[in-house]
Amino acid sequence: MQPTGRVTIGDVARTAGVSVATVSKVINGRYGVAAATFSRVQEVIDQLGYESSLVARSLRSHRTNVIGILVAEFEPFSTELLKGTSRSVQGTGYELLAYSGGGRAGSDVGWERRYLSRLSGTLIDGAILVTPTVVDAQYGIPVVAVDPHTGPSGLPTIDSDNFSGAVTATRHLIDLGHRQIGFLGGRPDLESARLREGGYRHAMSTAGLAVDEDQVRIGGYRQVTAQEPARELLSLPERPTAVFAANDLTAIQTITVAGELGLRVPEDLSVIGFDNVPESALSVPALTTIAQPIQQMGVEAMGLLLDLINGVERDPHVRLPTALVERSSCRAL
Amino acid sequence: MQPTGRVTIGDVARTAGVSVATVSKVINGRYGVAAATFSRVQEVIDQLGYESSLVARSLRSHRTNVIGILVAEFEPFSTELLKGTSRSVQGTGYELLAYSGGGRAGSDVGWERRYLSRLSGTLIDGAILVTPTVVDAQYGIPVVAVDPHTGPSGLPTIDSDNFSGAVTATRHLIDLGHRQIGFLGGRPDLESARLREGGYRHAMSTAGLAVDEDQVRIGGYRQVTAQEPARELLSLPERPTAVFAANDLTAIQTITVAGELGLRVPEDLSVIGFDNVPESALSVPALTTIAQPIQQMGVEAMGLLLDLINGVERDPHVRLPTALVERSSCRAL
DNA sequence: CTGTTAGCGCTTTCAC
DNA sequence: GTGAAAGCGCTAACAG
């Protein structure tokens, strides 16, 4: 209508001299339209560059062929996952809609429920929740959780073996001769963080090493929240010779803080992370870490969600293995 | 209504014993609601866990406080950009919606117009187009293009200095003593690709080196499309001693292909890329490349778009500098 | 085969 | 201060 406004189904109908219902049928390939009418309408659509509004369509039909990926923010973990889902959605006929609030993540528990409420019932046919903190029993649409930050729930879930990974990380440091091993944890309310701390403690006690509670800090998984705890950890009179940080971001922050404190990594301090996000290879020195197959987790999440949508029966829980990736941030004592 | 269905404004209204109009006013903080009514409605909202549907709301009000980021697919470049936008959207009151089709990117010219049509006018208040191939004059909402694949257009644009970067890359190889320098380009229809090729040719001729057209191939910017051309390039009788690939993904592919052909990098072949995506540090050997400040481009795009939405007058074109990042994939001859 | 009608969930006049 | 009613762009019966 307006020169710059978007063209609606009404514009197409008027131009083609038919009703909007007929245009709708053409768009959706419904039966009951004469071939001549069909091609005339199609022509007008092309000519006007009409594209149906996702919003209006979904409000009405509750089917959109769009999969939602809900994340707290776009950081290395969620974007890696995105790459995996993007790859595996190809050819399925679905499109991807990644949604993230603007709020400070972490402080904002319950974001997943809010986002889902805003989008579901309309707009998306299914959702992948990335590291949700709270997972309710039922949403209106099929939902898959990736690495949920809470204990076992009814939700179909993709995660990786956090406990084993943490054991591997800690044991690696022990094998290198370290005895004073600090732990920069995630958040006590998050399942993955608890499992990683559990793995750390398990490996320590298995090796007959006592955990000095002063050397266990809460890093919060984010650079900003890890700065202070890392500084405290490295300023201890009984300074640890190695630190296992619960994720790569905080491990990298630990390296930064060490530098500020005049400590060289790995000469004065060994640091190991968890996740193996691409950034871990970029740090100086390159970070030794525990790899989660993050992109693969995205692929699995997509596969599971599609199966759910299509009513395929299958195991709703996929756990992927972790592996040690040795780079340059650890050294033997 | 239904036990599992999502709760609508009607449910809230019924439960609170008011009309939907009143609930709407409460939600949007409009004037003209008694304090008592306000708090009663608010209570019901909390109790029912009601969250207004983005779709229905936007269909009606044409204002959503959501910024759209439209990408062809979630690959290293677009996800890096996402990180930057995510960071800079914090505290602005906007939320982010990244949209990507399922189709094979690259083959699908014009995706940006389609996506924008589907989302604009509703759902998003403004859009950031990542490496769009076609940029029309006018869309219904403020739009910023990042690294558009087409020549100068009327669109506000963020890009980096592709030409200078390509000159730097090529000169680096020349300085290292290389004379037979192959170029694995992007796509002829993409502006950045043309500029990078232009920079390559400029640096070559400036150094008095002739470009052997056989050593210039189209790599298409993607791993799959680069495989064959890379193989051809490295199988030439007059094999280049160095290859400048137009982006990191195809540079990494070149390294892979070299390995398959029994060539060692950098001993037998030097490779330099462009972009400095995190993946470039992960390749073996780590890739020497030209860094674009991708996350910063996201930050700038967000800032420019917000200014556009708020009617702030400013220069609608931001060009960011590139820089050489030396790692291990090049050696002196 | 085609058009009319009734909403989807919400916001927004405009009466009351 | 509150609610009834219209309508955003579209799809889905149902008539004609």
Side-chain angles (χ1 to χ4, degrees):
Chain A
M1 228 186 251
Q2 285 73 7
T4 84
R6 68 187 309 284
V7 12
T8 72
I9 196 172
D11 300 329
V12 175
R14 206 169 317 113
T15 309
V18 296
S19 73
V20 294
T22 302
V23 177
S24 175
K25 281 174 195 150
V26 170
I27 295 167
N28 298 290
R30 293 274 181 285
Y31 289 114
V33 180
T37 313
F38 190 98
S39 58
R40 180 156 42 90
V41 171
Q42 189 59 57
E43 219 162 84
V44 174
I45 289 176
D46 292 345
Q47 177 196 320
L48 261 45
Y50 168 74
E51 192 77 23
S52 80
S53 159
L54 219 205
V55 170
R57 171 195 293 246
S58 75
L59 183 57
R60 191 62 238 251
S61 73
H62 290 193
R63 189 91 212 293
T64 58
N65 286 322
V66 175
I67 298 293
I69 304 183
L70 277 42
V71 307
E73 73 184 307
F74 293 114
E75 27 68 40
F77 184 88
S78 58
T79 51
E80 275 308 289
L81 201 91
L82 235 37
K83 292 174 194 169
T85 57
S86 188
R87 192 150 25 87
S88 67
V89 82
Q90 312 237 6
T92 63
Y94 283 94
E95 310 210 311
L96 250 34
L97 158 12
Y99 194 79
S100 153
R104 296 132 296 294
S107 62
D108 185 22
V109 174
W111 56 268
E112 54 282 325
R113 219 190 47 65
R114 287 214 341 278
Y115 293 0
L116 211 39
S117 290
R118 298 193 63 169
L119 303 183
S120 102
T122 44
L123 202 53
I124 55 177
D125 293 344
I128 294 174
L129 264 36
V130 183
T131 58
T133 49
V134 189
V135 283
D136 285 0
Q138 268 305 56
Y139 302 101
I141 52 173
V143 169
V144 168
V146 174
D147 195 17
H149 277 339
T150 173
S153 67
L155 273 195
T157 297
I158 310 290
D159 60 15
S160 66
D161 197 341
N162 286 297
F163 186 86
S164 294
V167 169
T168 303
T170 311
R171 190 164 293 161
H172 179 62
L173 295 173
I174 294 171
D175 289 348
L176 250 26
H178 294 275
R179 292 295 171 265
Q180 304 252 52
I181 301 174
F183 180 70
L184 187 62
R187 283 165 37 194
D189 57 325
L190 307 187
E191 177 73 355
S192 65
R194 280 196 296 265
L195 287 168
R196 291 175 194 182
E197 179 167 341
Y200 159 75
R201 291 184 184 276
H202 178 79
M204 290 292 276
S205 75
T206 299
L209 260 29
V211 171
D212 177 351
E213 292 306 329
D214 227 30
Q215 303 204 144
V216 176
R217 304 275 164 159
I218 296 172
Y221 275 155
R222 309 183 73 220
Q223 310 235 20
V224 278
T225 53
Q227 179 151 22
E228 233 354 78
R231 184 177 301 274
E232 290 167 13
L233 208 47
L234 301 187
S235 304
L236 250 27
E238 293 274 287
R239 186 167 56 70
T241 62
V243 170
F244 169 26
N247 72 347
D248 286 348
L249 247 30
T250 56
I252 291 169
Q253 183 65 282
T254 302
I255 291 177
T256 304
V257 168
E260 290 167 8
L261 258 30
L263 297 172
R264 292 161 306 162
V265 175
E267 291 79 358
D268 306 321
L269 178 76
S270 289
V271 176
I272 188 168
F274 203 112
D275 279 352
N276 194 35
V277 294
E279 277 77 355
S280 63
L282 283 169
S283 76
V284 181
L287 189 68
T288 291
T289 189
I290 300 296
Q292 296 194 74
I294 309 181
Q295 290 196 25
Q296 187 57 31
M297 291 170 80
V299 171
E300 298 288 343
M302 196 68 198
L304 180 48
L305 183 58
L306 257 24
D307 282 348
L308 246 36
I309 290 175
N310 297 322
V312 177
E313 289 279 337
R314 52 166 287 183
D315 185 351
H317 187 351
V318 179
R319 173 157 293 170
L320 267 27
T322 55
L324 174 68
V325 175
E326 288 196 59
R327 286 198 276 253
S328 320
S329 63
C330 295
R331 71 154 193 135
L333 223 48
Chain B
M1 228 185 250
Q2 284 71 6
T4 83
R6 67 187 309 283
V7 12
T8 72
I9 196 172
D11 299 330
V12 175
R14 207 171 314 116
T15 310
V18 295
S19 73
V20 294
T22 302
V23 177
S24 174
K25 281 173 195 150
V26 170
I27 293 167
N28 298 290
R30 294 274 180 285
Y31 289 112
V33 180
T37 312
F38 191 97
S39 58
R40 181 156 42 92
V41 171
Q42 189 59 59
E43 217 161 86
V44 173
I45 288 176
D46 292 346
Q47 177 197 319
L48 262 45
Y50 169 74
E51 192 76 25
S52 79
S53 159
L54 219 205
V55 171
R57 171 194 293 244
S58 74
L59 183 57
R60 192 61 237 257
S61 73
H62 289 195
R63 189 90 213 292
T64 57
N65 285 321
V66 174
I67 299 292
I69 305 182
L70 278 42
V71 308
E73 73 183 307
F74 293 114
E75 27 67 41
F77 184 87
S78 58
T79 52
E80 275 308 288
L81 201 92
L82 235 36
K83 292 175 194 169
T85 56
S86 187
R87 193 151 22 89
S88 66
V89 81
Q90 313 238 2
T92 62
Y94 283 94
E95 310 209 310
L96 249 35
L97 156 12
Y99 193 81
S100 154
R104 296 131 298 293
S107 62
D108 184 22
V109 174
W111 56 269
E112 54 282 324
R113 218 190 49 65
R114 286 213 344 275
Y115 293 0
L116 211 40
S117 290
R118 297 193 61 168
L119 304 182
S120 104
T122 44
L123 203 50
I124 56 178
D125 293 344
I128 295 173
L129 265 36
V130 183
T131 58
T133 48
V134 190
V135 282
D136 285 0
Q138 268 304 56
Y139 302 102
I141 53 173
V143 168
V144 169
V146 174
D147 195 19
H149 277 337
T150 173
S153 68
L155 272 195
T157 296
I158 311 288
D159 61 15
S160 65
D161 197 341
N162 286 298
F163 186 84
S164 294
V167 169
T168 303
T170 312
R171 191 165 293 162
H172 178 63
L173 295 173
I174 294 172
D175 289 348
L176 250 26
H178 293 275
R179 293 295 171 265
Q180 304 252 52
I181 301 175
F183 179 70
L184 187 62
R187 280 165 37 194
D189 57 326
L190 308 186
E191 177 72 354
S192 65
R194 280 195 297 263
L195 287 168
R196 292 175 194 181
E197 179 166 341
Y200 159 76
R201 291 184 184 276
H202 177 80
M204 290 292 276
S205 74
T206 299
L209 261 28
V211 171
D212 177 352
E213 293 305 330
D214 227 30
Q215 302 204 144
V216 176
R217 303 275 165 158
I218 295 172
Y221 276 154
R222 309 183 73 221
Q223 310 236 20
V224 279
T225 53
Q227 178 151 22
E228 229 358 75
R231 182 176 302 273
E232 290 168 14
L233 209 47
L234 301 186
S235 305
L236 250 27
E238 293 275 286
R239 186 166 56 72
T241 63
V243 171
F244 169 26
N247 72 347
D248 286 349
L249 247 30
T250 55
I252 291 170
Q253 182 66 282
T254 302
I255 292 177
T256 303
V257 169
E260 291 166 7
L261 259 30
L263 297 171
R264 291 161 307 161
V265 175
E267 290 79 359
D268 305 321
L269 178 76
S270 288
V271 177
I272 188 167
F274 203 112
D275 280 352
N276 195 34
V277 294
E279 276 77 356
S280 63
L282 282 169
S283 76
V284 181
L287 189 69
T288 291
T289 189
I290 300 296
Q292 295 194 74
I294 309 180
Q295 290 194 25
Q296 186 58 31
M297 291 170 81
V299 172
E300 299 288 344
M302 196 68 198
L304 180 49
L305 183 58
L306 256 24
D307 282 347
L308 247 36
I309 290 175
N310 298 322
V312 177
E313 288 278 337
R314 52 166 289 181
D315 184 354
H317 187 350
V318 178
R319 172 157 295 169
L320 267 28
T322 55
L324 175 67
V325 175
E326 289 196 61
R327 285 198 277 254
S328 321
S329 63
C330 294
R331 71 155 194 136
L333 224 48

